[in-house]
């Protein structure tokens, strides 16, 4: 695998995140040397869920108001039902998603997290996947929805559910490696 020690990834989550969809990609990226910053709506610990039950908590590093998209190479959005539903109502979170897209940076969203992509109006004409109940929203926003474990469309990476996490992580790491390649190599 490429040296990802220079990569900087922003993850955004709040209460109701799917535990595995935040913890596993975060740990894999950290293990690969990536600097990962977790931002939320507040800096108090946020509560995860696993199988509909309360899961572990994690303390964010910053609030969404305190981070700047220019400081990161990629954005990773974990799912869970409540997490993206709350986040899509936050103007700064939606603006951050739009900024990453405007700058052509990698944006990776899994499960219910594509709701944020719909809210940010960034999926029109893009191929994407998600949890089944989010697919109509993606289609209505102009996305071409497919049922695959991971879909890469330019800088956009989407996956369906926790079973897809290994492919989701691989796609994120590959995108970071491409982004960090020296020009002309």
């Amino acid at each position: 695998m490429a040296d990802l020690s220079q990569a900087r990834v922003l993850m955004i989550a709040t209460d109701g995140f799917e535990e595995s969809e935040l913890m596993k990609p975060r740990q894999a990226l950290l293990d690969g040397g990536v600097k990962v910053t977790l931002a939320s709506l507040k800096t108090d610990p946020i509560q995860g869920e696993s199988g509909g039950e309360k899961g572990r908590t994690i303390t964010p590093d910053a609030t969404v108001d305190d981070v700047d998209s220019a400081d990161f190479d990629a954005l990773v959005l974990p799912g869970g039902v409540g997490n993206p539903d709350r986040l899509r109502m936050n103007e700064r979170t939606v603006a951050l998603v739009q900024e990453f897209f405007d700058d052509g940076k990698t944006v990776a969203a899994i499960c219910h997290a594509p709701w944020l992509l719909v809210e940010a109006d960034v999926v029109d004409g893009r191929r994407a996947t998600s949890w089944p109940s989010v697919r109509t929203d993606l289609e209505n926003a102009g996305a071409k929805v497919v049922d695959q474990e991971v879909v890469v469309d330019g800088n956009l990476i989407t996956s369906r559910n926790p079973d897809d996490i290994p492919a989701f992580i691989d796609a994120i790491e590959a995108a970071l490696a491409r982004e960090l390649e020296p020009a002309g190599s």
Side-chain angles (χ1 to χ4, degrees):
M1 185 174 81
D3 177 16
L4 299 180
S5 62
Q6 299 304 308
R8 300 159 303 159
V9 170
L10 176 63
M11 293 185 86
I12 300 177
T14 192
D15 292 317
F17 66 87
E18 177 62 39
E19 183 178 313
S20 63
E21 294 170 359
L22 186 150
M23 300 295 193
K24 288 181 181 179
R26 180 178 177 274
Q27 192 59 54
L29 291 169
L30 289 170
D31 290 348
V34 176
K35 180 175 180 356
V36 179
T37 299
L38 175 62
S40 189
L41 304 178
K42 54 190 168 69
T43 54
D44 297 328
I46 55 176
Q47 179 75 56
E49 293 180 0
S50 181
E53 302 293 321
K54 286 190 177 190
R56 293 186 289 171
T57 61
I58 187 169
T59 302
D61 302 302
T63 69
V64 293
D65 293 322
D66 295 331
V67 295
D68 185 338
S69 62
D71 295 334
F72 300 95
D73 303 302
L75 174 64
V76 177
L77 302 168
V81 178
N83 170 53
D85 194 44
R86 286 180 189 92
L87 290 174
R88 67 182 174 161
M89 300 303 293
N90 177 271
E91 288 181 23
R92 178 62 187 143
T93 301
V94 173
L96 280 166
V97 173
Q98 291 166 331
E99 290 168 20
F100 274 86
F101 269 91
D102 290 348
D103 293 340
K105 295 179 179 181
T106 298
V107 175
I110 187 167
C111 203
H112 287 78
W115 268 338
L116 279 161
L117 307 177
V118 169
E119 194 67 35
D121 195 24
V122 295
V123 295
D124 191 18
R126 306 296 292 266
R127 289 178 67 246
T129 194
S130 67
W131 183 258
S133 65
V134 178
R135 293 178 187 165
T136 299
D137 296 329
L138 282 169
E139 288 172 354
N140 289 340
K144 181 180 186 304
V145 177
V146 295
D147 186 11
Q148 295 173 255
E149 66 179 353
V150 67
V151 177
V152 179
D153 184 339
N155 64 322
L156 176 62
I157 300 168
T158 51
S159 284
R160 303 170 299 192
N161 60 56
D163 293 338
D164 300 337
I165 290 172
F168 185 64
I169 293 168
D170 289 348
I172 295 167
E173 289 175 340
L176 288 171
R178 281 191 305 276
E179 210 159 298
L180 295 173
E181 276 180 1
S185 59

